[in-house]
Amino acid sequence: MALSDLTLSVAVEAPQHSGLAGALHYSSPQDLPPGTLLRVPLGKRDLLGIVWHGSASDGTPPDGTQLRPVGALLDCLPPMAPAWLALVDFAASYYQRGVGELALAVLPPELRKLDPPGLAKRVARLLKKLDATPLPPTAPVQRPQLGPEQQAALAAFRTAFAQAGATPRPAPLLLHGVTGSGKTEVYLHAAEDALAAGRQALVLVPEINLTPQLEARFAARFPQHRLVSLHSGLTPVQRLRHWLLAHLGRADIVLGTRMGVFAPLPRLGLIVVDEEHDPSYKQQEGARYSARDLAVYRGHLERVPVILGSATPSLETWQHALPGPRQRYQRLPLAERVGGGALPRVRLFDMGVLPRTNGQSPVLAPMVVDSLRQRIAAGEQSLVFLNRRGYAPVLHCADCGWKSGCPHCSAWRVFHKGERTLRCHHCGFTERVPRACPDCGNLDIAPLGRGTEKLEEQLAELLPGARIARLDADTARGKGQLEARLAAVHAGDVDVLVGTQMVTKGHDFRRITLVVAVNPDSALFASDFRAPERLFALLMQAAGRAGRDAAQAGASEMWVQTWHPQHPLYAALKTHDFAAFAASQLAEREAAGLPPFSHLALLRAESRDVAVAQAWLEAAAALAAGLPGGDGVTVYPPVPPAVSKVAGIERLQMLVEAPSRARLQQLLVHWMPALHGLRSRHKGLARWAIDVDPLAI
């Protein structure tokens, strides 16, 4: 390092197990602003880095330390904005990940590979193409008439938008609208206001399969504005191009899944989180961040309005919007469907009254089958919902009791009849279906249970001549398959749509008048305290697919086939009373000291030997007891998760409970560095991770 060089703090993607949580130091002959993208050496590799806060300083490195010089600058791009750096800083600190690991992970993979000349060529080609293909001129666009509640919600947004720059922490807006109440139209009007002010709009959706429909709505409304999407379904080249358009300010609307919360937007003016309750907003690998919570924090940072939309808000969001001294969100109700349509009538069928054949109940109750036939005869569509893909969850030999378990996981391999395979949905291990029982040679091995593939087959037998289509992760796997199947439903080429939860939320099916929920009871008595909340939201969303056309809404209905028709959850579902359900759940959680009245973290450990993971977690618990913040925090004993073994690796988890978020963070900030050192004393530990605010326990 030359005497005239400066010391730069640079965020690089160091692996979590390295224990390098902060930015690294390099020497540079020039002062560079924070957010500058550049290449830097790390070990034998040449990596992308980002100049971080306090980047340049005079002075000498620590004794004996020889700083390596930075490499070439990616000077064809402007630096990342200070608000973006602050967002990543907060997320890395709160979710206990390395700042470089998170900062580089949320950038397009293709960007991390390119050298400065290669990137400069990409940017030049992109801008040249944009300039050669101007957007169409402004033309009148047909806008539906807003109802009174929509107008009130839009007025509240406009007040927030006008005051946003002057308000240090603008209150997020909870757009609590029943399914079909026109939440998307409110989003469109809010985006129109932001665009008219020269700002950009960020719209988040929970899953990839919801992006085509919403993208089409926004593209039709704003043909004179450039819209891009950001999600994992894009090719690396597409993702880089869309990211560049956002970062350069050339995209006016960014529509994305959870990764979109980190989109660099120099003119950000609005953030929308559609279906904010959806668990898909929580990342489950690597940095386990919540995109919804980070969207709210980003709104605070950049002083822009945040709209959280849902018919069934998460209980954390709902509690923030309850009137009182602790109210943090403004609730905007949309209690009526567009056009005055009625919500579907919910009917429960007690499966316990049906006679069994060979120990099994019929796939559908007779009254439900009659309802399906009536809808088909009337030229209407139906949705049959079963949240389990494949033909059957397991194959079984009645002679010796063999079942199609996975040799690498503590789970069954699912029978996929069309492919004639047994596939583990956890590790992916797949084999052809055996001709006979592997243990005793019995030729009569049979499927147990039912998945969407089998349900589709059974419906074809019950409803001869009906046009039946299936939509789940198996049928939507190939390129264009999802769009093609959805288009067939919208065109009226399908009488009965069979699907998993991917068809129950967000889709605007205008011809569906009947929804059937098959076997939803499994979540009623689950050990996870959030299971009832997720089930209620799923069933409410499923019911909302029926009767979205006001002309048919009065005759729409939902059948729920259940073994527990007296359960309070179904009583609230029958009246579409989310407020009553939320009040009962919040009362139960407060009595039990569960979130949102406490704050959790989950420490996970994995090893081929379960004893190694057990010993490490017990040592971690002992360590926590003596650290600042450890008093008053409860560390529960290690237990296995529902699927305790995946791909040959045993898994254990340990729950940490604190009365406040501050107390939990105080412990974590001291605990995490100590855990890195603890790992070296436990040979055989494959990996460990901390999950702050876990959704699945």
Side-chain angles (χ1 to χ4, degrees), residues 160-458:
F161 186 70
Q163 298 174 348
T167 306
R169 296 177 69 88
L173 306 172
L174 171 59
L175 190 61
H176 178 218
V178 299
T179 53
S181 59
K183 293 186 291 294
T184 303
E185 194 60 37
V186 176
Y187 303 156
L188 290 165
H189 277 75
E192 186 174 30
D193 287 0
L195 296 174
R199 311 295 289 275
Q200 293 169 293
L202 173 62
V203 182
L204 300 181
V205 293
E207 294 183 6
I208 294 173
N209 71 79
L210 296 179
T211 54
Q213 176 176 288
L214 202 58
E215 194 171 354
R217 289 280 300 273
F218 273 83
R221 180 63 64 88
F222 305 112
Q224 72 280 14
H225 291 278
R226 186 166 285 109
L227 183 152
V228 299
S229 56
L230 282 176
H231 54 76
S232 59
L234 300 173
T235 66
V237 172
Q238 288 174 326
R239 186 170 163 189
L240 174 61
R241 183 169 66 246
H242 293 184
W243 184 91
L244 288 171
L245 289 171
H247 181 50
L248 295 171
R250 302 294 290 267
D252 300 309
I253 304 167
V254 174
L255 179 64
T257 52
R258 60 176 174 260
M259 70 171 64
V261 74
F262 291 104
L265 297 158
R267 299 181 287 107
L268 182 62
L270 166 68
I271 302 175
V272 172
V273 185
D274 191 28
E275 309 292 358
E276 67 82 31
H277 66 277
D278 198 288
S280 298
Y281 282 120
K282 185 69 164 28
Q283 172 78 7
Q284 295 300 325
E285 296 295 333
R288 292 170 166 84
Y289 62 85
S290 165
R292 178 201 64 210
D293 295 348
L294 289 182
V296 171
Y297 186 78
R298 187 171 186 179
H300 291 164
L301 277 175
E302 306 207 36
R303 298 187 179 186
V304 300
V306 178
I307 300 177
L308 307 172
S310 178
T312 53
S314 66
L315 293 184
E316 287 82 359
T317 297
W318 183 254
Q319 188 201 37
H320 288 325
L322 291 176
R326 295 185 179 182
Q327 183 178 3
R328 294 172 53 192
Y329 297 175
Q330 182 181 357
R331 177 174 167 261
L332 310 175
L334 298 179
E336 301 293 331
R337 280 189 149 182
V338 172
L343 289 164
R345 174 191 179 193
V346 177
R347 306 173 70 182
L348 306 178
F349 188 90
D350 184 357
M351 294 297 287
V353 305
L354 292 179
R356 291 174 171 244
T357 304
N358 298 325
Q360 292 190 349
S361 298
V363 53
L364 294 177
M367 295 174 66
V368 176
V369 176
D370 289 342
S371 294
L372 286 167
R373 288 173 177 154
Q374 291 168 11
R375 303 291 170 171
I376 294 170
E380 299 169 2
Q381 293 177 322
S382 302
L383 169 64
V384 182
F385 160 59
L386 173 63
N387 204 21
R388 178 180 286 156
R389 61 189 173 105
Y391 189 84
V394 63
L395 280 185
H396 172 250
C397 173
D399 284 4
C400 71
W402 171 86
K403 291 181 180 178
S404 56
C406 176
H408 310 297
C409 305
S410 56
W412 306 117
R413 281 180 294 163
V414 176
F415 173 40
H416 291 262
K417 186 177 180 182
E419 304 169 2
R420 298 299 299 172
T421 61
L422 294 174
R423 187 192 314 150
C424 177
H425 289 173
H426 297 277
C427 73
F429 179 68
T430 303
E431 283 186 330
R432 299 291 295 173
V433 174
R435 295 181 178 274
C437 173
D439 286 356
C440 71
N442 174 30
L443 295 174
D444 189 18
I445 52 176
L448 282 182
R450 180 184 299 111
T452 49
E453 188 180 358
K454 184 176 182 180
L455 181 58
E456 179 187 23
E457 181 182 281
Q458 292 174 323

Side-chain angles (χ1 to χ4, degrees), residues 13 16-17 20 58 68 85 92 101 242 267 285 290 316 340 366 397 418 477 512 551 613 617 653 675:
E13 190 172 12
Q16 191 215 9
H17 61 75
L20 299 173
D58 292 309
R68 302 177 71 178
L85 300 177
E101 176 200 9
H242 293 184
R267 299 181 287 107
E285 296 295 333
S290 165
E316 287 82 359
C397 173
R477 196 181 305 159
I512 287 181
L617 287 173
Q653 60 187 27
L675 291 179

Side-chain angles (χ1 to χ4, degrees), residues 593 597-601 629 632-634 656-661 663-665:
F597 303 98
S598 66
H599 300 273
L600 305 179
V633 173
T634 304
V656 182
E657 182 183 84
S660 70
R661 183 174 280 112
R663 180 67 64 87
L664 179 62
Q665 286 293 321

Side-chain angles (χ1 to χ4, degrees), residues 394-625:
V394 63
L395 280 185
H396 172 250
C397 173
D399 284 4
C400 71
W402 171 86
K403 291 181 180 178
S404 56
C406 176
H408 310 297
C409 305
S410 56
W412 306 117
R413 281 180 294 163
V414 176
F415 173 40
H416 291 262
K417 186 177 180 182
E419 304 169 2
R420 298 299 299 172
T421 61
L422 294 174
R423 187 192 314 150
C424 177
H425 289 173
H426 297 277
C427 73
F429 179 68
T430 303
E431 283 186 330
R432 299 291 295 173
V433 174
R435 295 181 178 274
C437 173
D439 286 356
C440 71
N442 174 30
L443 295 174
D444 189 18
I445 52 176
L448 282 182
R450 180 184 299 111
T452 49
E453 188 180 358
K454 184 176 182 180
L455 181 58
E456 179 187 23
E457 181 182 281
Q458 292 174 323
L459 282 170
E461 296 174 359
L462 291 169
L463 306 169
R467 299 169 297 174
I468 300 172
R470 174 165 55 97
L471 186 56
D472 53 29
D474 296 320
T475 61
R477 196 181 305 159
K479 182 176 177 59
Q481 287 187 330
L482 171 65
E483 292 81 359
R485 289 176 183 266
L486 289 174
V489 178
H490 290 300
D493 298 332
V494 173
D495 295 319
V496 180
L497 177 63
V498 180
T500 54
Q501 63 176 351
M502 69 187 303
V503 301
T504 65
K505 47 194 175 186
H507 298 290
D508 188 21
F509 298 127
R510 309 301 296 182
R511 293 179 170 88
I512 287 181
T513 57
L514 171 66
V515 172
V516 179
V518 179
N519 191 28
D521 291 341
S522 58
L524 291 177
F525 308 104
S527 58
D528 188 345
F529 69 90
R530 284 193 173 91
E533 177 187 359
R534 287 195 293 266
L535 176 61
F536 188 82
L538 193 58
L539 292 177
M540 282 275 284
Q541 295 289 333
R545 297 319 104 199
R548 299 179 76 87
D549 187 334
Q552 300 173 326
S556 63
E557 62 181 355
M558 178 187 193
W559 276 106
V560 179
Q561 296 192 161
T562 173
W563 297 88
H564 305 280
Q566 305 306 317
H567 196 282
L569 184 148
Y570 292 132
L573 181 68
K574 285 188 70 173
T575 57
H576 301 276
D577 194 346
F578 173 80
F581 172 78
S584 66
Q585 285 289 299
L586 286 172
E588 288 181 14
R589 292 196 190 178
E590 186 172 21
L594 292 169
F597 303 98
S598 66
H599 300 273
L600 305 179
L602 202 61
L603 183 62
R604 295 186 171 97
E606 300 180 5
S607 173
R608 292 195 177 277
D609 183 355
V610 70
V612 173
Q614 176 91 18
W616 187 83
L617 287 173
E618 289 174 349
L623 196 62

